[in-house]
Every structure is written in C-alpha cells, then in structure tokens.
Amino acid sequence: MAKILSVVGKAGTARLLDPLSRALLRAGVSPNAVTVVGTLGVLVGAFGFAARGHFVAAVLIILVCGLTDVMDGAMARARGTASRYGALLDSTMDRVADGAIFAGIIWWYAGTGDRPTLAAALICLVAGQVVSYVKARAEGLGMSCHVGLVERAERLIIVGVGALLTGFGVSWGLPASLWLLAAGSIFTVGQRMWHVRKHEAAGESV
C-alpha cells in the first residue's frame, strides 16, 4: 500500500510543484543544488528538532524538505540534464537524510534513558542502510532485486506516523513504530538475500 501511495503521491506532488520547479530553472538553480539543499533541510529537522524531542516540528520540516526529492528529478528531465551523476547524488543524499533522521531519534532517546527504544532506533538505522545496500550491491553484480516488505517509503511513513503520535502526546507511538520498523527491516534484508540466492541457484534472471 505504501508503494502505491508513494507512486500516486509523487505524481500528484510533481504536478503541484511544477510551477516552482520551472521558476527555479529560470532562476538558474540546478537540480543537484535542490537535492543538496533539501538534504540540508532534513538535517536541520533531524538534529535541530527530532534530537530535542520536538517531533511534530521535525516531521513537518522533513516533509517539506522531502518535496525536493520529487522536484529535482522533474527539474533534471525538464532541463534535459538527467545524468548518472545526478542519480548517484540523489541516492547518496537519500542515505544521508535517512541516517540523520534515525540519528536524531537516537540522540533523543539516549538522553531520556529509554534503552529499549534506543535499541530499536539503532537497529532501524543499521538495518535500513543494509536494506538499501543489498539492492544496490545486487544491481552492481548485474542482478535486480525489486522485492522488499519495507523500503524507503515505508520506513519514512512508519517513523513519521510514530513521531507524530508521540509529538501529540501518545508516548508509545514512536517506540512502537520503531520496533515495528526494526522487525520489518530485518525481514526485508533476509527477503532480498533469499530472493537473489534463490534465482541465482535456479540459473534464472533475477
């Protein structure tokens, strides 16, 4: 469901942001600059707000800055400058942004002394990076790995909903979402590894 919402949401958001994208292009702003600025905004939300327990503000800032993930690709295509470097930069900044979000949460729970939730956040941080790495490494080896219960869209939705619940006073919201995400991320790593192994052993194209 999150994958469907992600695709539909990106298409709708791209149309809404099209006038702004065109204005930025006319002003000489490059798609790569939009990618980097958006990531810097996520860092502000993560370390300036989530790390201090201001979860509602953090989610709103990260959500707004996350719109650049839709804009930069659309700008590159409209400008006719879509490139492999731009795709690499976008993926790299996504990993930086994801890491920063969980690092901010870890910083907060380390200060509160909530060890179980801290452990869940640490698992999410590591497992989330491994989920992305397995797919990238499979593709680097000439295989595809288009499977996964919990991908980036799911990670951000789950942790975002949990953070909003906790921000509005439901204390168990973020801890519960982190444990759910930790379990789903570990499962996804195994799911992707098994998928590649199964198809390679069968001599099939993955």
Side-chain angles (χ1 to χ4, degrees):
M1 178 59 73
K3 293 180 180 65
I4 296 173
L5 291 175
S6 177
V7 172
V8 174
K10 277 193 173 184
T13 303
R15 287 193 293 271
L16 289 174
L17 295 175
D18 189 54
L20 177 58
S21 298
R22 291 200 301 268
L24 290 173
L25 286 173
R26 287 195 297 269
V29 178
S30 72
N32 289 346
V34 171
T35 300
V36 173
V37 169
T39 303
L40 292 175
V42 173
L43 295 178
V44 170
F47 295 118
F49 292 87
R52 298 165 60 192
H54 303 313
F55 294 121
V56 175
V59 170
L60 293 177
I61 292 170
I62 291 169
L63 178 62
V64 170
C65 293
L67 296 177
T68 60
D69 201 37
V70 177
M71 290 176 57
D72 53 8
M75 288 173 65
R77 288 187 293 273
R79 196 182 189 186
T81 57
S83 65
R84 287 179 293 181
Y85 175 75
L88 174 64
L89 177 66
D90 186 62
S91 294
T92 301
M93 292 298 100
D94 283 349
R95 302 290 81 73
V96 171
D98 290 358
I101 290 169
F102 288 102
I105 293 171
I106 288 167
W107 184 275
W108 169 252
Y109 281 108
T112 65
D114 185 346
R115 287 180 174 270
T117 305
L118 175 60
L122 286 167
I123 294 171
C124 289
L125 174 63
V126 175
Q129 299 297 320
V130 177
V131 165
S132 299
Y133 174 79
V134 172
K135 182 176 181 179
R137 182 58 176 154
E139 291 175 345
L141 293 170
M143 299 176 285
S144 63
C145 192
H146 298 299
V147 298
L149 176 67
V150 178
E151 298 186 272
R152 188 170 192 253
E154 288 81 3
R155 284 200 299 273
L156 297 180
I157 290 171
I158 291 170
V159 76
V161 170
L164 286 175
L165 286 172
T166 293
F168 284 116
V170 183
S171 61
W172 54 264
L174 186 51
S177 72
L178 288 171
W179 277 114
L180 175 64
L181 181 55
S185 297
I186 292 172
F187 176 84
T188 303
V189 171
Q191 181 185 18
R192 287 185 166 178
M193 295 291 291
W194 174 252
H195 175 79
V196 173
R197 178 181 174 83
K198 180 180 66 175
H199 285 273
E200 184 181 45
E204 300 174 5
S205 176
V206 182

